[in-house]
Amino acid sequence: MHQEGVDLLVIGAGMAGLTAAARAVRDGLSVVVVEVAPDVGGSARYAGYAWTAPDREIMDRHNPRGERVLTHALVDRFDDGISWIRSLGVEAKGAQAVLSFGRGHQFDTNHYVDTCRRLILRGDGELLLETGTERLVVEEGTVVGADVRRADGGRRRVRATTTLIATGGFQGDVGLRTAHVHPHADRMQLRSNSRSRGGGYRLATEVGAATGPDDAGFYGHLIPSGIPFADPADFVDMSLYYSEHALLFNLRGERFVDETLGDHLTAMALLDEPESRGLLIADARVFRDWIVGSYVEGAVAVDKYAIADKRGGRVGLAEDLDELAYLPEEWGYEGEVVRDAVKLFNEQAAAGVEPGPGRKLDRLPLDEPPYYVIETTPAITFPFHGVRIDDRARVLGEDARPLPGLLAAGSDTGGLWHRAYAGGLASALVFGLTAAETAAASAPHGSAS
């Protein structure tokens, strides 16, 4: 088995891994990047915004159970991450609002990951595609690299001062999802790169990494039920972001969540409901302002109702409230119960009475016909359970101490989000850069930056 030594071995060539590798090469480190797929980029190629909370206070308010040392590091280092993107010649547009509280920047993620790849290959870096990682190599309690296997079956031991795990999470593995996300997580479609199957999670736990938190949830969105994703473009086009302004009912015809807090949070709540499906109901105002509008400024607007209808989803158009009583019987909802629930909500909204569940943001009644009905289910992008790290991206053992030589970043990590969310791409960017800094400090010649 061939052996050699480098400063940094990166396992995974998505947003976090490429960011770390490119920054490390620019800082003068020798780097090997191992990627199981035939190309780099992973789920980052489907994204377009890096965003998070604008300050610590807002982060704490929206993600109160996240580990403060991680959430505050994300907020504090985010602007440096955007500066790094721009330093590579990739345009990151000016700051704009995202959701009800966030701040972020639109940029071409394909341009970014391809630029990182070029920087790695032109510098002191090597990229091994279609190469799996079989195990981490541990000597005297320190991770000193990994054994990898190429597509042709050839094996290689890559020795490294520091090894970074950045394989993108375990959302592609149903067993890990049901064990660590939710017993019904197998019901969800995968709204991400299908190759993120827990490779990094398994490598880390095999050498004693701590994981968690339990019941942390996942990042995802509501999508029309019964329609398989046909293309990565569907990850955005079929996500029903407008649910924040609509009403969502479970099979019993009940509202069960404050929809206005965010579609990504509503998706977690729906997974807990009977059969993990529900009816999303909007009126003409919501259709006009949100269904056919852009989720964030600059995004391409598409008619999500028309897409669901064209693709054969369970959709319906009611000319007035009373028509909601005639939902198809085979859907399993009692139409009259749903109709009465919408009427009650409208009466309460018009009278200024707080509905149950509450409604913190859009409190306007849905009283402008026609009514647009889509049956919806949650889809998962990545889990919030993962490998525990500190604010220097060092993997922690069960004793909460760093495991020497091992780092992790991006969706492989846990602790940052706990049934709340404020930017996955931002996390991969920030902690990818942090991992490169930690690796530089550990390199035999010290930090080159």
Side-chain angles (χ1 to χ4, degrees), residues 182-264:
H182 193 281
H184 297 152
D186 57 331
R187 295 175 177 173
M188 293 189 287
Q189 279 203 70
L190 183 61
R191 188 183 173 272
S192 82
N193 162 38
S194 64
R195 293 181 183 273
S196 293
R197 300 174 187 144
Y201 184 90
R202 292 186 177 91
L203 290 170
T205 54
E206 285 168 1
V207 298
T211 61
D214 294 329
D215 192 38
F218 64 95
Y219 172 60
H221 282 288
L222 298 180
I223 61 170
S225 66
I227 305 176
F229 289 127
D231 184 271
D234 284 346
F235 297 161
V236 172
D237 290 350
M238 283 176 38
S239 291
L240 306 178
Y241 307 126
Y242 73 86
S243 74
E244 299 165 18
H245 303 273
L247 297 177
L248 182 63
F249 298 94
N250 62 19
L251 274 170
R252 294 187 291 265
E254 304 164 335
R255 282 186 64 235
F256 54 90
V257 68
D258 180 352
E259 302 92 343
T260 70
L261 296 181
D263 183 77
H264 57 295

Side-chain angles (χ1 to χ4, degrees), residues 46-110:
Y46 314 141
Y49 290 84
W51 73 277
T52 192
D55 57 48
R56 290 182 172 191
E57 181 182 356
I58 293 175
M59 174 65 83
D60 293 346
R61 187 185 317 144
H62 286 272
N63 183 30
R65 292 198 283 172
E67 293 183 17
R68 294 280 174 94
V69 68
L70 300 181
T71 62
H72 289 181
L74 174 57
V75 169
D76 295 347
R77 301 170 194 168
F78 178 67
D79 287 342
D80 289 342
I82 299 301
S83 295
W84 159 256
I85 292 173
R86 290 171 173 157
S87 78
L88 299 186
V90 177
E91 180 187 7
K93 295 184 178 179
Q96 63 185 85
V98 179
L99 294 182
S100 62
F101 66 91
R103 174 180 60 89
H105 302 262
Q106 183 181 22
F107 72 106
D108 185 339
T109 51
N110 285 288

Side-chain angles (χ1 to χ4, degrees), residues 118-130:
R118 286 194 296 272
L119 180 59
I120 293 163
L121 294 177
R122 289 174 182 172
D124 195 7
E126 183 180 6
L127 175 61
L128 306 176
L129 296 175
E130 296 184 280

Side-chain angles (χ1 to χ4, degrees), residues 366-449:
L366 269 65
D367 58 2
E368 185 181 338
Y371 291 88
Y372 297 81
V373 181
I374 299 180
E375 185 180 62
T376 183
T377 57
I380 185 172
T381 304
F382 67 88
F384 294 155
H385 175 101
V387 177
R388 305 307 284 263
I389 61 170
D390 66 9
D391 68 333
R392 303 312 306 167
R394 298 177 297 183
V395 172
L396 302 177
E398 295 293 348
D399 60 359
R401 295 179 181 178
L403 295 178
L406 188 60
L407 310 177
S411 299
D412 281 333
T413 65
L416 184 63
W417 312 120
H418 199 121
R419 302 195 77 82
Y421 178 72
L425 211 60
S427 168
L429 171 66
V430 165
F431 287 99
L433 291 172
T434 298
E437 294 168 3
T438 299
S442 302
H445 48 74
S447 176
S449 58

